[in-house]
Amino acid sequence: METSTKDFWENRLAEDWTETGVGYRALGAAFNTWMYRVRRTVFLREMASAPIDLPTAEVFDIGSGTGFYVDLWRELGVAGVTGSDITTAAVNNLRGRFPDSDFHPFDAASPELPVPAGAYDIVSAMDMLFHITDDAGHAQALRNAARLLRPGGLFVFSENFLFGPEQRGPRQVNRSMHTIERELAAAGLEPIRHAPMFVLMNAQVDAPWLRRRAWALVMRTATAAGLGGLAGRLLYPLEMRLLASRREGPSTELMICRRIEQQ
C-alpha cells in the first residue's frame, strides 16, 4: 500500500529532523550544507529588497520543516513569524526550538486554514509546493496563500517553473511556468519578480534530458565517494557568481507575488 504524503514526511522527519531530512537527501549532509548556504544568500538578498516594510510585517510560513526559513525571517527583522507543517514531528520540534512563535499543524492542500484569513503581510512556502503531487491540492495551496494575506501582501515561494514538459513522480511534480502562473492568477496573486535559487548545485530539472542525467550521475557518484563536502566547497563560489548575473536558471527559482486587491 502506498504511503500517504503526510505519513511519508511524518516518518522522514521523525527519523531525521535536519536540513538533510527536508532537503536533497540522496546528496548527503555535507553537500546539503552548501546548498542551504546558497538558499540563505538568495532568500535574504531577494527579501531585503522586496517592496514591503519588513519590521512591521507579520509572516505566515507554510511547510516550516526544520525552521530554516523561520530563522531567516527572524534575521530579516520581521515583526513576527507564525509557522506550520503537515507533520506532527516538525510542529512539536519547532515549538521547542522557537518557543516565542506559534506553530500549527497544516496541510497546505486542504481548504481548512489553521489561523484567521487575511491576517498576514507575507506568506512563504519554500521548497515544498512541488511535493504536492495532486493538482487540485496544489491549486488549493496557492488559494490558501492568497486567503492568508492582507490585500497587497506578498506571497514568497519556490518552484521549478519548467519551460519544458512537466515531470511527475510519486513524491514530486515539477510543473510548468504556464500552469503555475494560471493557478496564481486564479488565486488572485500577481507575480512581481522571480530569481534563480540554483544554477549548478541542484537537479537540472529544466535542462535537456542528457544534462539532467549527467548531473545526477556526477553528483551521486561524488556523494557515494564521500566527496559531497568538497564538491560543495568548489561549486559554491561559481554558483554565487552565476546567481548574481542570471535571472533564469535550470533549477529551483524564487518568486514573489502580490495579492491583488479586490475591486
Side-chain angles (χ1 to χ4, degrees), residues 123-241:
V123 171
S124 53
M126 300 300 298
D127 308 326
M128 55 77 58
L129 288 170
F130 38 69
H131 291 304
I132 301 176
T133 57
D134 173 64
D135 289 342
H138 186 270
Q140 180 65 54
L142 298 186
R143 290 194 296 270
N144 287 341
R147 291 167 63 204
L148 288 163
L149 285 168
R150 299 185 176 104
L154 300 184
F155 177 42
V156 185
F157 69 108
S158 59
E159 276 273 18
N160 289 317
F161 300 109
L162 301 189
F163 288 98
E166 296 189 352
Q167 302 160 9
R168 294 183 174 268
R171 301 295 172 200
Q172 181 166 322
V173 175
N174 300 321
R175 294 176 172 87
S176 70
M177 174 70 85
H178 173 74
T179 295
I180 296 167
E181 287 182 335
R182 184 182 68 242
E183 291 179 353
L184 289 169
L189 294 164
E190 175 188 29
I192 56 177
R193 79 168 185 248
H194 75 282
M197 295 192 78
F198 294 100
V199 177
L200 296 176
M201 290 180 65
N202 200 4
Q204 307 288 285
V205 292
D206 206 19
W209 180 86
L210 187 59
R211 180 172 161 188
R212 295 201 308 269
R213 297 296 296 172
W215 185 92
L217 177 62
V218 169
M219 293 310 303
R220 293 189 183 206
T221 299
T223 300
L227 300 175
L230 177 61
R233 188 177 299 111
L234 293 174
L235 287 172
Y236 179 79
L238 177 57
E239 184 79 303
M240 290 295 96
R241 287 197 292 271

Side-chain angles (χ1 to χ4, degrees), residues 77-118:
V78 299
V81 186
T82 300
S84 66
D85 201 85
I86 194 174
T87 71
T88 303
V91 170
N92 289 340
N93 285 326
L94 288 162
R95 287 170 176 169
R97 181 179 175 189
F98 303 101
D100 56 344
S101 293
D102 291 329
F103 294 91
H104 301 271
F106 179 41
D107 180 352
S110 165
E112 301 297 324
L113 297 180
V115 292

Side-chain angles (χ1 to χ4, degrees), residues 57-71:
E58 290 289 339
V59 177
F60 188 89
D61 184 54
I62 301 174
S64 299
T66 63
F68 177 79
Y69 290 100
V70 174
D71 255 339

Side-chain angles (χ1 to χ4, degrees), residues 237-255:
L238 177 57
E239 184 79 303
M240 290 295 96
R241 287 197 292 271
L242 292 171
L243 288 169
S245 62
R246 297 193 180 192
R247 301 310 298 171
E248 294 282 352
S251 188
T252 306
E253 298 182 354
L254 179 149
M255 180 177 277

